[in-house]
Amino acid sequence: MSGSEAVFLCRCLLVVAAVRLGLTLFSYNRVRGMVTRLNARQCASMGELRLVAWGVAAAARFVPGATCLTQALSGQYLLARQGNASNVRIGIERGTGEQLKAHAWLVSDNHIVLGGSVDGFAHLVDHGSR
């Protein structure tokens, strides 16, 4: 790992931990408001998307309770810091019967950055950059 990758991983760890703590202490809408307050309009390169996906996924392994929502919001913040637009997509699993299973993804320019496949899920809402 290069020095710049190690610094980025540390930044990701701080962001994931802060978002996780925020979701514990505050409402989703309040945390989302803090994450999306940056003006992000441009599309990220594939290299930027891969770096954010790697950094957030690696950092999440060290943060207890870093769910898909925590990771998606963290990635959205990191992309927005670079001026890159993205959406947190929330959906529910189809046909689960009694138990409702929700999932969150980070999507940028129709590319899934974090969260895996959307197969088997019904799309509910996208929360994008401002």
Side-chain angles (χ1 to χ4, degrees), residues 93-94 105 116-121:
E93 192 171 20
R94 293 185 195 134
W105 298 263
S117 175
V118 297
D119 292 341
F121 288 88

Side-chain angles (χ1 to χ4, degrees), residues 15-16 52 56 70-80 86 106 114:
V15 170
V16 171
V52 167
V56 170
T70 299
Q71 292 178 49
L73 286 168
S74 298
Q76 186 174 42
Y77 175 78
L78 289 163
L79 286 172
S86 63
L106 179 63
L114 290 161

